């Protein structure tokens, strides 16, 4: 088997196995597997097999995309840092800082329509990048693991953000006031297309980011230096690449992508800032998305959709009498199976050599 | 005749390639049997079959005349087959004893490790075969040569009767090689049987009794070593006549290219690795730096190439003081570097071959406004690959990790030489390579010299230094004990200098 096929095959096998685990658990607990499939189909297309006369309710695919967009962005964020050898577990904090910056800017600074939304996006990305700069700098100056500082900064971001959101005028215990419509990404046009879902213009941001990600990593000299650093830091240094610069830049770009995720959640999905008691997990979902998508632009696009589907289908599953946790079980099983990909590779190679052997044996048998 | 091991008509197919084609290897008990062949000749595959890592497609294996099926290494172990791998499989922070018993711990009644019995057994083995090893030292504190002995004892501890040595001398100094040869003779004297996998003819000639030669997966011949010359064996191995003579025209010294003044470099451990060292290298010469590994050669080169900081002193390249320059600008001022460790520094193993070939200039001539010029890269890579005969499965698109060591090294040499640097630094350029590749790389280095470039060669192989250099500087403890004319010196003089004697002392005695 060549390398390229293997790269595609492993996530695919992991997904199948993950769904299989879900099905087995359903069967053991005496629930119907059909309910799962029906729920997933409805989450994806809005078509309910049990109620075919209702046709396609486009609100479902709309909401599915709404929840896919931020985790695609955080998936790109984690993937980008990973390609340069960094594990940006701090994406969660960068999402929160992106959200915070956008909320404060939008509520406190009046901006004209059109420009406002774009300025907010840029500021959200900058906030994420700056938050990511901290672990990058700590790694460069003191060789502190970006994993440890990233996790700490996640908490710092969450509680810090709550403090600032609460001092904004009009904030109650759950949310701020609505941000001005000049800064929102939602549109009545998109809503009308998708049965009044919250689907918003953020999808353009996501598409641009996916293309930019692919282009920078695969086609530019900057991407070349990042990949070299990610594969072999010492080798990159020997080649004359400024490894420290690559590392800090890559985690900042990663942070910017995460910050954008935070921005579109505020500007698009909700339209206000939320005071959070627990993290949204966009950043952590991004880790799973990047892992299953092999840190590759197209892979992240699809795995982002998969994880979003498993998330948005949960209420639908419940309606069909299936515990909503089954969605979580499936998505974590998929991550688990990708994480043990060496075992999968091993089994595949065993299968292959067995096939080979039996071919040889049967040949040997006939020649005798 | 009694054979300890017989591998009869072994054929092994991998998808798309036949690694062993009807190979027969019969090893007599109590003999040292060399298995000679170039990289990719099928030696490792054959031994992996014997060790149970692969199953042969066809063919049989007999041990002491009895047919056996070895389908995993544990069975090989229980049949008394032990392998001393080229890359040691030791736990760095464990002691010698702990490493030896790992996986086969003798226990007391209370299920604790019975250190007393274990140590006694190790000491007995050590004494019997002259290993002179301290069972309590940690692996990380002992020399590579000693680590290899630990590997050997590990096999003996498991009652191995047949020991397979896979390229055992690749990592050893000349002295350690000699000691290893003695150990091997001792083992045979005690009735053990040895298979020595190698491509070094000198070693075959020195210790082996019988030699089986493989080429491209096929058995070429099995010869009696005493009755065969090195040249004959080399030709059997390569399949053509070999030109051991290096054509080196008269030295034409040019300008001073590299000047080093009073350089001091600290090692990673903070000790002084290079002490107040000064050196000149001229255009048109090869200056060889000889010495035993670990006497500051690596640090000296790291300082010149920028991988390590200099404490004090000056490095002047082409008239420019580059002591504190970025690595990249050193290359721009005319430095080329074939590094000692091709996996750590020389190559990004997970990159495609073409990406490795442009790694210095990816943001220079191979990109326009920050975007890689993929067409130019492909064309350039193809040219370089054909000019330097770099062989690989999928040409420029091959993932470098999957290439053989020789071809990886050729790729590095191609990349560095093609940039036509005024100063070419080559460190251990032929470590672990086969005769054909060595011959080729030596010719390329000499042709750089003949073109009027300055070459700084560091090698732990004295032969290589003597063959290639015009002048030889011997390094000991971070200093030069002597700089001598390659034509006027000999192995004995160099050996003394390598052991720390000063040139004045030696000539004073004569």
């Amino acid at each position: 088997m060549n390398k390229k096929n293997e790269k595609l095959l492993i996530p695919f096998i992991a997904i199948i196995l993950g769904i299989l685990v879900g099905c087995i658990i359903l069967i053991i607990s005496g629930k119907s597997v059909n309910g799962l499939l029906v729920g997933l189909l409805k989450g994806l297309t809005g078509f309910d097999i049990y109620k075919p006369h209702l046709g396609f309710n486009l609100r479902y695919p709309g909401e599915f995309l709404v929840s896919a967009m931020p985790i695609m962005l955080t998936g790109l964020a984690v993937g980008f840092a990973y390609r340069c050898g960094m594990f940006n577990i701090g994406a969660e904090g960068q999402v929160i800082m992106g959200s915070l910056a956008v909320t404060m800017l939008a509520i406190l600074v009046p901006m004209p329509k059109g420009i406002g939304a774009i300025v907010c996006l840029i500021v959200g990305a900058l906030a994420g990048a700056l938050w990511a700069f901290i672990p990058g700098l700590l790694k460069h100056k003191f060789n502190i693991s970006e994993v440890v500082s990233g996790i700490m900064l996640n908490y710092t971001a969450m509680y810090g953000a709550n403090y600032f959101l609460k001092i904004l005028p009009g904030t109650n215990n759950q949310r701020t006031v609505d941000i001005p419509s000049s800064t929102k990404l939602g549109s009545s046009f998109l809503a009308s297309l998708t049965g009044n879902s919250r689907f918003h213009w953020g999808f353009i941001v996501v598409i641009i980011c996916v293309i930019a990600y692919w282009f920078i990593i695969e086609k530019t000299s900057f991407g070349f230096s990042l990949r070299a650093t990610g594969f072999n830091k010492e080798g990159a240094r020997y080649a004359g690449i400024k490894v420290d610069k690559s590392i800090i830049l890559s985690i900042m770009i990663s942070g910017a992508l995460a910050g954008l995720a935070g921005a579109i959640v505020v500007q698009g999905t909700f339209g206000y800032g939320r005071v959070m008691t627990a993290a949204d997990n966009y950043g952590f979902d991004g880790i799973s998305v990047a892992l299953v998508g092999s840190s590759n632009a197209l892979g992240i696009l699809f795995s982002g959709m998969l994880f979003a589907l498993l998330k948005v289908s949960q209420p639908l599953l419940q309606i069909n009498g299936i515990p909503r946790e089954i969605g979580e079980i499936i998505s974590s099983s998929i991550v688990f199976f990708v994480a043990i990909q060496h075992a999968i590779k091993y089994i595949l190679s065993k299968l292959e050599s067995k096939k080979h052997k039996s071919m040889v044996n049967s040949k040997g048998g006939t020649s005798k | 005749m009694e054979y300890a091991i017989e591998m009869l008509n072994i054929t092994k197919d991998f998808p798309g390639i036949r690694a062993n084609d009807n190979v027969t290897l019969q090893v007599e008990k109590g003999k040292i049997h060399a298995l000679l062949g170039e990289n990719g000749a099928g030696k490792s595959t054959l031994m992996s079959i014997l060790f149970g890592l692969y199953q042969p497609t066809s063919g049989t294996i007999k041990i002491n005349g009895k047919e056996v099926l070895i389908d995993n290494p544990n069975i090989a172990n229980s049949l008394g087959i032990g392998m001393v791998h080229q890359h040691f499989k030791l736990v760095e922070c464990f002691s010698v004893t702990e490493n030896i018993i790992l996986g086969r711990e003798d226990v007391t009644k209370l299920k604790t490790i019975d250190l007393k019995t274990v140590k006694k057994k190790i000491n007995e083995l050590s004494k019997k075969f002259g290993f002179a090893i301290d069972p309590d030292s940690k692996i990380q504190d002992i020399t590579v040569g000693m680590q290899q002995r630990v590997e050997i004892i590990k096999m003996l501890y498991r009652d191995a009767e047949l020991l397979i040595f896979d390229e055992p001398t690749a990592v050893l100094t000349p002295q350690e090689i000699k000691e290893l040869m003695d150990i091997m003779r001792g083992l045979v004297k005690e009735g053990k049987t040895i298979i020595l996998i190698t491509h070094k003819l000198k070693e075959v000639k020195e210790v082996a009794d019988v030699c089986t030669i493989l080429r491209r997966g096929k058995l070429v011949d099995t010869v009696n070593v005493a009755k065969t010359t090195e040249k004959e064996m080399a030709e059997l191995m390569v399949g053509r006549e070999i030109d051991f003579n290096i054509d080196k025209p008269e030295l034409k010294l040019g300008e001073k290219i590299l000047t080093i003044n009073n350089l001091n470099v600290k090692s990673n451990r903070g000790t002084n690795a290079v002490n107040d060292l000064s050196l000149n290298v001229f255009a048109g010469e090869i200056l060889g730096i000889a010495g035993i590994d670990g006497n500051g050669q690596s640090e000296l080169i790291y300082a010149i190439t920028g991988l390590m900081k200099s404490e004090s002193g000056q490095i002047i390249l082409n008239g420019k003081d580059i002591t504190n320059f970025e690595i990249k600008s050193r290359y721009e001022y005319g430095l080329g570097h074939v590094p000692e460790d091709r996996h750590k520094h020389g190559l990004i193993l997970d990159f495609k071959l073409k990406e490795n070939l442009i790694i210095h200039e990816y943001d220079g001539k191979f990109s326009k406004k920050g975007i890689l010029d993929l067409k130019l890269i492909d064309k350039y890579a193809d040219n370089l690959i054909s000019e330097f005969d770099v062989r690989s499965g999928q040409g420029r698109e091959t993932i470098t990790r999957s290439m053989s060591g020789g071809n990886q090294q050729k790729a590095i040499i191609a990349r560095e030489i093609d940039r036509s640097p005024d100063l070419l630094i080559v460190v251990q350029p032929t470590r672990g390579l086969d005769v054909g590749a060595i011959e080729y790389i030596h010719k390329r280095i000499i042709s750089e010299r003949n073109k009027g470039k300055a070459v700084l060669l560091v090698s732990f192989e004295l032969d290589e230094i003597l063959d290639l250099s015009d002048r030889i500087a011997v390094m000991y403890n971070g200093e030069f004990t002597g700089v001598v004319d390659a034509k006027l010196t000999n192995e004995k003089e160099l050996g003394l200098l390598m052991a720390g004697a000063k040139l004045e002392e030696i000539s004073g005695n004569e």
Side-chain angles (χ1 to χ4, degrees):
Chain A
M1 190 187 334
N2 67 37
K3 268 257 151 69
K4 212 160 199 176
N5 282 342
E6 199 173 270
K7 259 191 195 152
L8 288 175
L9 194 61
I10 300 249
F12 189 71
I13 292 177
I15 290 165
I16 302 283
L17 289 174
I19 293 174
L20 215 62
V21 167
C23 292
I24 291 171
I25 290 175
L26 282 179
I27 292 168
I28 291 174
S29 53
K31 312 277 186 208
S32 97
V33 173
N34 280 346
L36 172 68
L37 301 178
V38 169
L40 289 179
L41 182 71
K42 189 171 181 190
L44 184 64
T45 62
F47 184 74
D48 192 334
I49 295 180
Y50 293 147
K51 297 170 192 149
H53 55 280
L54 292 178
F56 290 90
N57 182 351
L58 293 181
R59 202 182 124 75
Y60 289 101
E63 282 299 319
F64 154 61
L65 289 175
V66 165
S67 75
M69 288 190 287
I71 63 172
M72 281 177 192
L73 286 174
T74 53
L76 292 175
V78 175
F80 198 88
Y82 186 74
R83 291 300 282 269
C84 194
M86 300 279 280
F87 185 26
N88 185 13
I89 202 168
E92 190 69 44
Q94 292 143 24
V95 172
I96 294 171
M97 291 317 272
S99 291
L100 172 69
V102 166
T103 312
M104 291 187 68
L105 180 75
I107 290 176
L108 297 176
V109 185
M111 277 176 290
K113 196 160 176 67
I115 304 172
I118 293 172
V119 170
C120 282
L121 285 172
I122 293 171
V123 167
L126 278 178
L130 282 176
W131 201 246
F133 174 68
I134 303 171
L137 188 73
L138 289 172
K139 172 115 179 175
H140 165 51
K141 285 276 176 210
F142 307 109
N143 201 21
I144 292 171
S145 159
E146 74 278 11
V147 174
V148 176
S149 50
I151 292 177
M152 301 309 233
L153 285 170
N154 285 345
Y155 291 106
T156 316
M158 193 176 98
Y159 295 113
N162 282 349
Y163 173 77
F164 284 105
L165 289 175
K166 277 183 183 164
I167 58 174
L168 285 176
T171 305
N172 61 25
N173 268 336
Q174 277 114 36
R175 51 167 289 187
T176 66
V177 294
D178 276 345
I179 59 172
S181 65
S182 63
T183 56
K184 281 189 186 170
L185 290 171
S187 98
S188 48
F189 168 64
L190 290 176
S192 70
L193 276 185
T194 55
N196 276 331
S197 79
R198 294 176 294 174
F199 188 52
H200 55 80
W201 290 115
F203 81 92
I204 294 178
V205 176
V206 177
I207 291 172
I208 291 173
C209 287
V210 169
I211 294 172
Y213 180 101
W214 166 79
F215 188 77
I216 291 175
I217 296 274
E218 306 293 342
K219 299 289 167 190
T220 66
S221 57
F222 173 58
F224 185 94
S225 69
L226 292 186
R227 282 186 290 132
T229 309
F231 279 135
N232 177 355
K233 215 166 133 184
E234 275 300 303
R237 206 160 77 82
Y238 153 85
I241 291 166
K242 288 177 185 137
V243 171
D244 294 327
K245 200 176 116 193
S246 303
I247 283 180
I248 291 187
L249 262 179
S250 79
I251 199 163
M252 284 182 75
I253 291 174
S254 169
L257 288 163
L260 271 178
I264 67 162
V265 168
V266 172
Q267 292 175 258
T269 315
F270 292 102
Y272 53 83
R274 292 163 305 142
V275 177
M276 285 179 292
T277 46
D280 281 322
N281 281 346
Y282 287 125
F284 288 105
D285 286 343
I287 296 172
S288 313
V289 169
L291 182 71
V292 175
S294 322
S295 296
N296 145 316
L298 208 59
I300 289 171
L301 190 72
F302 284 114
S303 72
M305 288 191 197
L306 175 74
F307 281 92
L309 177 62
L310 289 167
K311 210 174 201 176
V312 293
S313 308
Q314 287 176 13
L316 299 170
L317 297 180
Q318 218 160 15
I319 294 170
N320 289 331
I322 290 175
R324 59 185 300 153
E325 287 77 10
I326 210 77
E328 297 285 331
I329 290 177
I330 294 176
S331 45
S332 29
S333 307
I334 292 172
V335 172
F336 172 77
F337 285 117
V338 172
I340 60 159
Q341 56 176 293
H342 286 292
I344 296 183
K345 270 183 214 164
Y346 176 76
I347 294 166
L348 283 179
S349 71
K350 276 271 163 185
L351 285 178
E352 202 150 279
S353 72
K354 240 192 200 142
K355 215 165 80 190
H356 197 69
K357 223 192 221 165
S358 65
M359 264 165 58
V360 170
N361 282 347
S362 64
K363 254 190 220 159
T366 48
S367 70
K368 272 176 196 171
Chain B
M1 210 179 299
E2 195 190 343
Y3 293 117
I5 291 276
E6 289 171 276
M7 298 181 78
L8 302 171
N9 307 100
I10 301 286
T11 296
K12 172 68 187 171
D13 288 325
F14 289 112
I17 194 165
R18 178 158 282 191
N20 288 143
D21 188 358
N22 199 20
V23 175
T24 293
L25 173 73
Q26 292 173 305
V27 183
E28 264 179 76
K29 207 170 162 54
K31 288 277 163 74
I32 300 182
H33 194 121
L35 190 57
L36 184 68
E38 295 200 275
N39 289 332
K43 297 169 296 193
S44 302
T45 308
L46 191 65
M47 286 304 110
S48 299
I49 290 172
L50 181 56
F51 201 57
L53 293 167
Y54 295 137
Q55 284 298 294
T57 308
S58 65
T60 47
I61 301 175
K62 286 184 184 172
I63 290 184
N64 298 324
K66 259 206 322 234
E67 193 172 326
V68 290
L69 177 74
I70 307 175
D71 53 11
N72 74 55
N74 292 333
I75 295 185
N77 276 329
S78 65
L79 288 168
I81 301 171
M83 185 135 168
V84 178
H85 294 274
Q86 186 177 359
H87 300 285
F88 306 146
K89 312 210 179 290
L90 297 170
V91 183
E92 290 267 308
C93 55
F94 271 20
S95 72
V96 169
T97 310
E98 286 166 329
N99 267 288
I100 290 171
I101 61 172
L102 193 62
R104 206 191 224 206
E105 298 89 353
D106 284 315
V107 289
T108 60
K109 274 179 202 150
L110 292 169
K111 296 283 172 203
T112 56
I113 293 172
D114 187 359
L115 274 181
K116 228 176 171 180
T117 322
V118 168
K119 270 193 192 154
K120 210 176 116 205
K121 202 166 160 191
I122 292 174
N123 275 329
E124 271 169 22
L125 285 171
S126 182
K127 214 182 262 167
K128 188 164 161 195
F129 296 105
F131 284 121
I133 201 159
D134 171 16
D136 293 322
S137 17
K138 294 228 165 97
I139 296 298
Q140 59 203 12
D141 300 329
I142 62 180
T143 63
V144 174
M146 281 295 176
Q147 293 179 7
Q148 189 173 53
R149 291 183 188 185
V150 177
E151 285 281 13
I152 299 172
I153 300 179
K154 218 162 99 182
M155 297 309 136
L156 298 173
Y157 186 83
R158 285 158 177 69
D159 305 314
E161 285 303 316
L162 174 81
L163 290 107
I164 306 169
F165 285 82
D166 184 8
E167 303 275 0
T169 59
V171 289
L172 302 184
T173 65
Q175 282 83 349
E176 285 172 332
I177 293 177
K178 209 174 149 283
E179 286 165 13
L180 175 69
M181 301 283 160
D182 289 337
I183 287 176
M184 288 169 78
R185 289 191 196 98
L187 288 167
V188 171
K189 208 176 276 168
E190 292 292 330
K192 309 279 181 194
T193 308
I194 290 178
I195 297 180
L196 170 65
I197 307 176
T198 186
H199 56 251
K200 290 189 188 161
L201 300 156
K202 230 177 161 181
E203 289 161 16
V204 175
K205 196 71 191 160
E206 192 174 337
V207 290
D209 304 296
V210 187
C211 176
T212 293
I213 300 145
L214 296 183
R215 190 191 329 137
R216 297 208 180 132
K218 288 190 179 141
L219 175 71
V220 180
D221 205 351
T222 297
V223 297
N224 182 332
V225 173
K227 289 180 190 155
T228 318
T229 66
E230 274 185 44
K231 191 157 188 293
E232 284 164 346
M233 285 193 279
E235 285 169 10
L236 287 171
M237 169 166 82
V238 184
R240 62 182 163 84
E241 268 193 46
I242 299 225
D243 182 10
F244 274 126
N245 296 319
I246 294 175
D247 185 27
K248 231 169 94 179
E250 200 54 31
L251 182 67
K252 264 190 255 149
L253 267 196
E255 306 170 42
K256 210 194 279 180
I257 299 290
L258 175 75
T259 307
I260 293 175
N261 292 326
N262 307 94
L263 185 72
N264 283 290
V265 186
K266 278 206 158 68
S267 76
N268 280 332
R269 275 167 287 162
T271 53
N272 286 335
V274 177
N275 291 322
D276 213 25
L277 184 132
S278 299
L279 172 75
N280 291 312
V281 188
F282 296 89
E285 75 162 344
I286 297 178
L287 178 78
I289 296 184
I292 297 166
D293 191 6
N295 275 289
Q297 298 97 319
S298 305
E299 286 84 357
L300 171 64
I301 298 303
Y302 287 162
I304 301 175
T305 53
L307 286 167
M308 226 174 216
K309 258 204 218 138
S310 319
E311 286 295 306
S312 63
Q314 250 187 335
I315 302 166
I316 298 165
L317 176 65
N318 273 330
K320 197 98 191 165
D321 186 341
I322 61 161
T323 318
N324 296 311
F325 273 29
E326 299 266 0
I327 294 174
K328 187 148 209 132
S329 18
R330 294 179 198 232
Y331 292 130
E332 279 155 14
Y333 278 99
L335 177 76
H337 180 197
V338 177
E340 177 178 358
D341 188 335
R342 57 177 168 264
H343 290 173
K344 184 175 168 198
H345 287 128
L347 295 166
I348 312 278
L349 287 174
D350 294 303
F351 262 8
K352 289 175 181 167
L353 174 57
K354 64 176 180 186
E355 293 176 306
N356 268 307
L357 291 175
I358 59 152
I359 199 143
H360 294 307
E361 291 174 297
Y362 70 95
D363 59 351
K365 71 178 183 198
F366 293 110
S367 58
K368 280 185 201 136
K369 292 188 182 142
I371 294 164
L372 296 172
D373 186 343
L374 299 176
K375 273 196 192 126
L376 183 66
I377 293 171
D378 287 355
K379 210 176 115 200
Y380 173 80
D382 283 342
N383 279 341
L384 219 53
I385 289 167
S386 74
E387 190 194 332
F388 284 80
D389 191 28
V390 183
R391 290 182 203 173
S392 58
Q394 289 122 6
R396 59 170 192 251
E397 305 291 332
T398 315
I399 299 293
T400 318
R401 188 183 292 282
S402 69
M403 291 164 54
S404 72
N407 282 302
Q408 289 177 348
Q409 187 74 344
K410 271 190 188 171
I412 296 174
I413 298 255
R415 176 180 76 202
E416 300 303 317
I417 286 184
D418 191 69
R419 286 174 39 244
S420 187
D422 294 327
L423 173 68
L424 180 64
I425 296 181
V426 277
V427 187
Q428 288 279 74
T430 57
R431 176 193 261 178
L433 305 190
D434 55 57
V435 179
I438 292 174
E439 193 190 3
Y440 182 83
I441 285 168
H442 282 176
K443 281 200 174 126
R444 279 292 181 167
I445 292 172
I446 296 216
S447 86
E448 282 305 288
R449 162 200 183 262
N450 297 346
K451 272 192 255 166
K453 309 287 181 187
V455 178
L456 182 61
L457 165 76
V458 178
S459 177
F460 308 131
E461 306 222 18
L462 215 43
D463 289 340
E464 186 163 54
I465 293 275
L466 280 164
D467 283 350
L468 295 181
S469 312
D470 297 299
R471 284 192 299 151
I472 299 170
V474 184
M475 204 160 171
Y476 176 76
N477 236 343
E479 293 166 20
F480 287 141
T481 43
V483 181
V484 295
D485 188 325
K487 278 194 215 120
L488 305 176
T489 187
N490 54 44
E491 262 188 59
K492 191 182 154 218
E493 185 181 52
L494 291 175
L496 288 169
L497 290 171
M498 281 162 81
K502 294 260 194 264
L503 192 58
E504 305 88 64
E505 300 165 18
I506 301 173
S507 42
N509 285 343
E510 272 171 15

